[in-house]
Amino acid sequence: MTITSLDFETANQSRVSICAAGIAVFEDGNLAEATHWLVRPPKGLGWFLPEFTENCHGLTWFDVQDAPEFPAIAPELLERLTRAEIVIAHNAQFDIGALQATLDHFGLACPEFDYLCTYRVAERIWPELPNHQLNTLAAHIGHEFHHHHAQADAEAAGRVLLAMMKHQNAKTPRELLQKAAIVPRRFCQ
């Protein structure tokens, strides 16, 4: 079973302003790979919102000015997404939206894959928690990480999913979704 977890950080409110990308690939419940890319946002969209730099990911233009634009990392990133049995993201609406907007911006082909949102699943599995933010869920399962670092967030989301599977005695993410009465979404259908 291959689960690939995805996370993006953006320079500003534009979903096309991806400035960091991270993935974590889990094979049969074990972390097999974790990768991080700094990404230079496209021309005209590369300004960094001060509150994102100061209160979120800490990245600035100087960190990404020599980084590749998204099309350079897309083949490697998309290959990992399409070979997964399921792709996950915490608050998937944001990350999947950023991926779709960026692919559209650059005129890149849209791969097909199933995905789920760990935030939405956690609301069903652990309704008693005060909230379902990634840092709250990570603390709940005893996982320490550097929040708002794309690779660390991707890994944390994967570990949260695995913990929810264990909690529900589900052998696969799809079995967990069945127990939570959630249907996976399809990207680029």
Side-chain angles (χ1 to χ4, degrees), residues 32-106:
E33 175 187 6
T35 304
H36 176 261
W37 297 271
L38 289 177
V39 180
R40 187 177 69 245
K43 194 172 201 135
L45 296 170
W47 53 275
F48 279 71
L49 201 58
E51 59 255 34
F52 284 26
T53 296
E54 295 163 12
N55 303 325
C56 194
H57 51 62
L59 297 171
T60 69
W61 170 251
F62 297 106
D63 295 313
V64 301
Q65 67 183 348
D66 296 323
E69 284 190 336
F70 189 83
I73 70 159
E76 192 175 351
L77 185 140
L78 297 176
E79 187 273 329
R80 285 171 175 83
L81 300 180
T82 57
R83 78 172 185 222
E85 291 170 45
I86 196 152
V87 172
I88 67 167
H90 196 75
N91 190 14
Q93 183 178 355
F94 171 81
D95 296 293
I96 296 298
L99 178 60
Q100 182 69 66
T102 303
L103 291 171
D104 291 347
H105 177 83
F106 287 107

Side-chain angles (χ1 to χ4, degrees), residues 125-139:
I125 302 302
W126 293 314
E128 73 281 1
L129 294 179
N131 64 58
H132 297 90
Q133 296 170 358
L134 187 56
N135 55 344
T136 301
L137 296 173

Side-chain angles (χ1 to χ4, degrees), residues 164-185:
M164 289 189 289
M165 289 169 57
K166 183 176 181 181
H167 179 75
Q168 292 293 307
N169 197 27
K171 295 191 181 352
T172 68
R174 291 185 192 279
E175 187 179 338
L176 174 68
L177 291 176
Q178 284 178 332
K179 290 180 180 214
I182 296 175
V183 176
R185 305 283 310 264

Side-chain angles (χ1 to χ4, degrees), residues 123-162:
E123 287 179 314
R124 300 266 176 100
I125 302 302
W126 293 314
E128 73 281 1
L129 294 179
N131 64 58
H132 297 90
Q133 296 170 358
L134 187 56
N135 55 344
T136 301
L137 296 173
H140 181 69
I141 66 167
H143 177 69
E144 293 183 21
F145 73 115
H146 179 110
H147 197 24
H148 295 301
H149 179 281
Q151 179 182 328
D153 284 3
E155 181 181 342
R159 294 196 184 281
V160 164
L161 178 72
L162 294 171

